[in-house]
Amino acid sequence: MWIELHAGMLVALALVAALIGALVAIRRQRSRLASQPQPAETARVDPVTGLPSRAVFDERLEVALTQAESQRSQGSVLYAGLDGFRLVNDRHGHEFGDEVLRLVAERLRAHAGVDVLMCRVAGDEFALWIDGPAVRAEELAQHLVDSFKAPMQVPPHSIALALSVGVALFPEHGSRSRIVTRAGAAMRAVKLQGGHAYAVFNPAVAAAEREELQLARDLKGAVKRSELALYYQPKIDAASLQVTAAEALLRWSHPTRGVITPDYFIPLAERHGLIAEIGEWVLDEALRQAAAWRKQGLRMRVAVNVSGVQMRSEEFAVRLARGLKSHGLNADRFTCEITESVAMEDTAVTRRAFERLGQLGVHVSIDDFGTGHSSLASLRKLPTEELKIDRAFVIDLEESVEARTIVQAIVQMAHTLGLRVVAEGVETEAQRDVLVSMGVEELQGYLFAKPMSASALGLWARNSAADLSRTFKASLFTDTQTTEIFDEDPRPATGRG
């Protein structure tokens, strides 16, 4: 009898929860419909936030600037952008994201004041104009930044978003046509420094931004002009000190600046929407090279670095599946390396991405481990095979007890979770010996080999083929049958992810 009552209560609770969810959804829909402007007003009001449109803002800003100029008074434009909003859309969808933007606008309005001219410029960026001296603008900027320390409640979720604000002063920082642009430049400078702060426009920022824009324009055509190239750095088995794999490392040969490292131009590509094209080229080139080595008798495992944009895209796994199949490659001879900071941005999104890759049989490695904020609980949720210790810890192994303690802890944690460990940046024999004694499975660094062209690595391998015990593991030269690769997209039948 009690069991039947208990089961009945559970069913009732489930029905109540479903009813509450439906009522909340209806309330949101009614709120959105009520706040949407009529067709004649559409051009004057932002449909998502209900704020004045950018056109209206520009009109009123022109009036305010004319008045300030005639009265020789001061004023400021504040340009505010959310930090991490992209993850909200990725995880919850654009409808949920729109609700967040509406609440953001309400919070900005509440703290700036109803009389402050404000608009949503685009996406998750807002512009405000206030009269008065610079000190007032800076006080408001700090106040707005602080107001986002408290998370927003969007049932059933609590969303924590930080705010970056740039400030441009009038007339100190330029004419009417430049004031908004320069406030935006100051905001982007804040984001580059980690976000969740404000900064006043600095002319040096403008110069740096102009240089970045020029470099971005150059990078946009780098693939077509064949300026990009992959170099390969061998990975070494810690037990035998023989080559087991190679990591593909991207280089950009700029026509006037020379070789530019990916540490600089990959973030540039991500900021300017170029990473998708570059990432596709890297993947295609790595697959092509792996196939070429296989025809030469070298069954080399190849690792590629995957950007956050690629990882979050369902199409990446689809493209990889097609590439593996078209080249006749064994999926488990391919590794995707994803930095710890990207992997831990949103573990739910990362897990779905790792699962898609896992369905193909592709290995997944978390790169630069130790620099982010991973926890044991987070790692347990991610279907990965490998952790790659960041070079910053390896460099200090000989002198720093703290570095040795951290590396040992990472190795023990990884082995507890059944993960392999790779250490990068190995440059001395002493570092090598410490890592081997700790149980690290693979090593990578200048002690063994610098990154080299594909042809150089192929020659090195062929020269070692006669004496396989010297450099390359014999198994690398053993021919294998290709694995069966998906004919269909490696995605769930329903839903996203």
Side-chain angles (χ1 to χ4, degrees):
M1 180 66 176
W2 182 87
I3 294 176
E4 291 178 356
L5 288 172
H6 183 63
M9 289 175 64
L10 289 177
V11 172
L13 286 173
L15 290 172
V16 170
L19 179 60
I20 291 173
L23 290 174
V24 169
I26 292 171
R27 184 178 179 184
R28 284 185 190 165
Q29 181 67 16
R30 285 177 176 172
S31 176
R32 279 192 296 273
L33 290 173
S35 64
Q36 286 178 357
Q38 297 302 311
E41 301 174 327
T42 300
R44 309 290 293 174
V45 178
D46 175 55
V48 175
T49 63
L51 293 173
S53 68
R54 175 65 189 271
V56 171
F57 178 84
D58 288 343
E59 290 173 8
R60 295 178 182 175
L61 179 62
E62 179 70 19
V63 173
L65 292 174
T66 299
Q67 184 176 353
E69 199 170 43
S70 64
Q71 297 178 356
R72 296 186 178 181
S73 60
Q74 296 175 303
S76 304
V77 169
L78 278 63
Y79 200 104
L82 295 171
D83 301 332
F85 180 71
R86 178 187 62 195
L87 295 177
V88 174
N89 275 335
D90 287 346
R91 183 170 186 178
H92 302 291
H94 290 281
E95 185 176 345
F96 184 91
D98 286 350
E99 179 68 11
V100 172
L101 289 174
R102 188 184 65 78
L103 294 176
V104 168
E106 287 183 0
R107 184 171 294 191
L108 291 173
R109 175 64 76 200
H111 290 277
V114 294
D115 297 328
V116 169
L117 175 59
M118 182 170 66
C119 77
R120 183 169 75 113
V121 180
D124 60 353
E125 297 177 351
F126 299 79
L128 303 85
W129 162 262
I130 62 168
D131 297 303
V135 63
R136 185 186 176 202
E138 292 193 53
E139 287 175 353
L140 177 57
Q142 185 63 64
H143 185 55
L144 293 178
V145 170
D146 292 341
S147 72
F148 278 77
K149 290 180 179 179
M152 282 177 291
Q153 303 303 320
V154 188
H157 301 287
S158 178
I159 304 296
L161 288 171
L163 192 72
S164 296
V165 180
V167 180
L169 310 176
F170 183 82
E172 290 92 327
H173 293 149
S175 64
R176 303 176 188 181
S177 62
R178 295 183 178 180
I179 190 75
V180 176
T181 301
R182 290 187 166 177
M187 183 275 291
R188 286 187 288 276
V190 173
K191 284 181 175 285
L192 290 176
Q193 297 299 318
H196 195 45
Y198 83 89
V200 178
F201 173 78
N202 185 322
V205 172
E209 185 166 19
R210 284 196 299 272
E211 182 179 0
E212 177 175 310
L213 288 173
Q214 181 57 55
L215 203 58
R217 283 193 287 268
D218 295 343
L219 182 58
K220 188 174 183 179
V223 171
K224 293 180 180 178
R225 294 191 299 270
S226 301
E227 294 173 0
L228 300 182
L230 290 183
Y231 279 59
Y232 297 85
Q233 186 173 36
K235 292 184 177 182
I236 310 299
D237 178 68
S240 65
L241 299 183
Q242 293 174 306
V243 177
T244 58
E247 179 185 358
L249 300 170
L250 185 60
R251 299 289 185 267
W252 177 22
S253 296
H254 191 279
T256 59
R257 299 171 185 248
V259 176
I260 301 177
T261 65
D263 291 343
Y264 182 78
F265 73 81
I266 290 300
L268 178 74
E270 291 179 334
R271 290 195 296 273
H272 291 270
L274 305 174
I275 194 63
E277 180 186 11
I278 292 174
E280 289 177 2
W281 181 86
V282 169
L283 180 62
D284 293 344
E285 177 63 15
L287 289 168
R288 185 199 64 77
Q289 186 56 57
W293 276 330
R294 192 177 187 281
K295 290 179 180 177
Q296 297 168 9
L298 179 60
R299 190 169 57 95
M300 177 71 70
R301 175 188 292 280
V302 176
V304 296
N305 294 283
V306 179
S307 72
V309 174
Q310 288 175 292
M311 185 196 72
R312 286 183 285 271
S313 170
E314 295 180 356
E315 295 305 315
F316 175 72
V318 175
R319 189 180 183 91
L320 178 54
R322 291 171 181 164
L324 290 167
K325 185 173 184 178
S326 65
H327 288 291
L329 293 172
N330 192 324
D332 70 3
R333 306 301 297 172
F334 206 81
T335 299
C336 289
E337 295 190 4
I338 299 167
T339 63
E340 180 190 15
S341 58
V342 170
M344 296 302 161
E345 278 183 343
D346 189 322
T347 53
V349 172
T350 301
R351 183 175 65 252
R352 291 196 295 270
F354 282 16
E355 286 171 350
R356 288 194 293 265
L357 295 173
Q359 288 175 20
L360 299 178
V362 171
H363 285 236
V364 180
S365 173
I366 298 180
D367 196 8
D368 297 339
F369 194 82
T371 60
H373 303 284
S374 295
S375 66
L376 183 62
S378 298
L379 283 174
R380 288 181 62 191
K381 297 177 182 177
L382 298 179
T384 182
E385 290 84 15
E386 179 180 283
L387 297 184
K388 199 171 184 182
I389 299 174
D390 186 73
R391 66 179 68 247
F393 299 109
V394 175
I395 291 173
D396 295 335
L397 274 179
E398 295 178 62
E399 296 82 16
S400 172
V401 174
E402 181 185 63
R404 288 196 294 274
T405 302
I406 291 172
V407 172
Q408 184 68 71
I410 292 174
V411 173
Q412 291 177 348
M413 179 180 66
H415 288 169
T416 299
L417 296 174
L419 306 178
R420 290 169 50 82
V421 181
V422 179
E424 61 181 348
V426 183
E427 298 182 356
T428 69
E429 293 181 354
Q431 293 169 354
R432 176 200 66 194
D433 293 343
V434 171
L435 291 166
V436 171
S437 68
M438 289 180 176
V440 171
E441 279 83 8
E442 282 190 324
L443 309 170
Q444 185 178 346
Y446 283 11
L447 176 64
F448 309 102
K450 293 183 178 181
M452 63 187 78
S453 66
S455 58
L457 183 57
L459 286 172
W460 187 26
R462 285 197 293 274
N463 291 337
S464 300
D467 182 10
L468 297 177
S469 63
R470 186 181 64 189
T471 308
F472 285 74
K473 288 184 75 74
S475 61
L476 295 184
F477 296 90
T478 303
D479 196 25
T480 58
Q481 297 297 318
T482 59
T483 55
E484 189 67 26
I485 302 296
F486 284 46
D487 284 326
E488 300 179 355
D489 289 355
R491 294 180 285 197
T494 58
R496 293 177 60 84

